[in-house]
Amino acid sequence: IKTDNVLLKPHNIQVLTVLRMLGYDAAEDTSGLQVLQSHVMQVQTGEGKSMVLGACSVVLGVLGFSVRCVCYSEYLSSRDHELFKDLFKAFKVSNCVHYSTIQAYAEHTLKDKGDIRQLTKDLLNGNLKKAKGRERPSEVLLVDEVDVFFGTDFYGKSWVPGATFEAPEVREILEFLFHNCLKFEQMGGRGTFQWMQQESQPYQAL
């Protein structure tokens, strides 16, 4: 049987989950509009979590939201996006529905106002410029396999991006310490160390 001739019908649990996530019975605010609420939904293995997330992404995208669907696995995220990309294109929501890992989402969030590493370097070098604000559509975050994020690999962990501060004087200090087996505190009398103290004075809090 050709797949084009097969009628696919959603499971009851898929219909209920979509309705629940989209707030079909949500209370109205003072303006008479229903307000989306945060939900944690449990769908058993094999009951179609990917279908639920894909359907919700389409509806929210059509309503004008920016949708970010995240998962712990790059493979699962890419697989699900590939499964629904034609549907996203058909509803013209490809530009506002994004699938990624949670790490990529964190990077995207930080980079929304610029490259955090480059901005840090600009701050230390005195070249930081005021960022221009821009309007963004309201964003909805959909998390697949949410229980994984409460495991030891994610829950309570910090994501710490780093930036390398480069200056000839810093290199000279490090080379001097290495070749003379000195401690950092013993550098007080050198001119390069005094230069670094003076230059870094505005950033003592860092």
Side-chain angles (χ1 to χ4, degrees), residues 17-23 36-41 48-63 65-73 76-77 80-81 84 88 93 96-106 109 138-147 149:
T17 303
V18 170
L19 290 175
R20 175 73 274 177
M21 290 182 67
L22 296 178
L36 283 177
Q37 298 177 332
S38 299
H39 293 286
V40 175
M41 307 296 295
K49 291 188 292 292
S50 299
M51 302 294 289
V52 170
L53 293 172
C56 288
S57 296
V58 170
V59 174
L60 293 169
V62 170
L63 292 175
F65 290 96
S66 174
V67 184
R68 175 68 68 162
C69 190
V70 302
C71 180
Y72 73 95
S73 167
L76 293 177
S77 181
D80 290 350
H81 182 265
F84 287 98
F88 296 152
V93 295
C96 55
V97 177
H98 307 280
Y99 279 64
S100 70
T101 62
I102 189 65
Q103 292 92 338
Y105 173 67
T109 302
S138 298
E139 185 174 68
V140 176
L141 177 64
L142 303 177
V143 183
D144 190 10
E145 305 287 357
V146 67
D147 56 305
F149 297 105

Side-chain angles (χ1 to χ4, degrees), residues 7-16 18 47-48 51-52 55:
L7 175 62
L8 298 177
K9 299 179 65 176
H11 298 298
N12 293 337
I13 190 63
Q14 291 175 323
V15 175
L16 291 173
V18 170
E47 292 186 343
M51 302 294 289
V52 170

Side-chain angles (χ1 to χ4, degrees), residues 4-5 13-14 21 49-50 52 65 73 84 89 93 104 106 117 124 132 141 148 153 160 164 179 190 194-195:
D4 294 342
N5 299 326
I13 190 63
Q14 291 175 323
M21 290 182 67
K49 291 188 292 292
S50 299
V52 170
F65 290 96
S73 167
F84 287 98
K89 185 182 298 184
V93 295
R117 296 176 177 85
L124 295 174
K132 295 182 179 179
L141 177 64
V148 174
D153 292 335
V160 186
T164 303
H179 291 301
R190 292 185 60 84
Q194 294 174 351
W195 169 87

Side-chain angles (χ1 to χ4, degrees), residues 9-200:
K9 299 179 65 176
H11 298 298
N12 293 337
I13 190 63
Q14 291 175 323
V15 175
L16 291 173
T17 303
V18 170
L19 290 175
R20 175 73 274 177
M21 290 182 67
L22 296 178
Y24 73 101
D25 62 346
E28 296 180 351
D29 62 10
T30 55
S31 63
L33 297 176
Q34 290 181 318
V35 180
L36 283 177
Q37 298 177 332
S38 299
H39 293 286
V40 175
M41 307 296 295
Q42 181 176 1
V43 179
Q44 298 295 332
T45 301
E47 292 186 343
K49 291 188 292 292
S50 299
M51 302 294 289
V52 170
L53 293 172
C56 288
S57 296
V58 170
V59 174
L60 293 169
V62 170
L63 292 175
F65 290 96
S66 174
V67 184
R68 175 68 68 162
C69 190
V70 302
C71 180
Y72 73 95
S73 167
E74 176 66 35
Y75 167 75
L76 293 177
S77 181
S78 299
R79 182 202 66 182
D80 290 350
H81 182 265
E82 186 70 20
L83 179 65
F84 287 98
K85 68 177 184 179
D86 291 337
L87 185 64
F88 296 152
K89 185 182 298 184
F91 280 91
K92 297 181 171 57
V93 295
S94 299
N95 292 333
C96 55
V97 177
H98 307 280
Y99 279 64
S100 70
T101 62
I102 189 65
Q103 292 92 338
Y105 173 67
E107 287 267 6
H108 170 80
T109 302
L110 286 175
K111 287 184 177 180
D112 190 54
K113 293 185 178 180
D115 187 331
I116 187 66
R117 296 176 177 85
Q118 186 58 49
L119 290 173
T120 301
K121 293 181 181 180
D122 292 342
L123 172 65
L124 295 174
N125 290 317
N127 299 324
L128 186 63
K129 298 179 181 179
K130 187 176 181 179
K132 295 182 179 179
R134 60 186 180 89
E135 292 186 4
R136 295 188 304 161
S138 298
E139 185 174 68
V140 176
L141 177 64
L142 303 177
V143 183
D144 190 10
E145 305 287 357
V146 67
D147 56 305
V148 174
F149 297 105
F150 291 95
T152 56
D153 292 335
F154 287 94
Y155 189 69
K157 297 292 184 180
S158 298
W159 183 75
V160 186
T164 303
F165 178 64
E166 299 178 358
E169 292 80 4
V170 175
R171 181 184 179 89
E172 181 182 339
I173 290 174
L174 293 175
E175 288 181 347
F176 184 83
L177 289 171
F178 177 78
H179 291 301
N180 294 277
C181 299
L182 297 176
K183 295 182 179 179
F184 193 74
E185 294 79 5
Q186 296 175 282
M187 291 290 296
R190 292 185 60 84
T192 50
F193 182 76
Q194 294 174 351
W195 169 87
M196 189 177 71
Q197 285 183 312
Q198 180 179 354
E199 290 295 315
S200 63

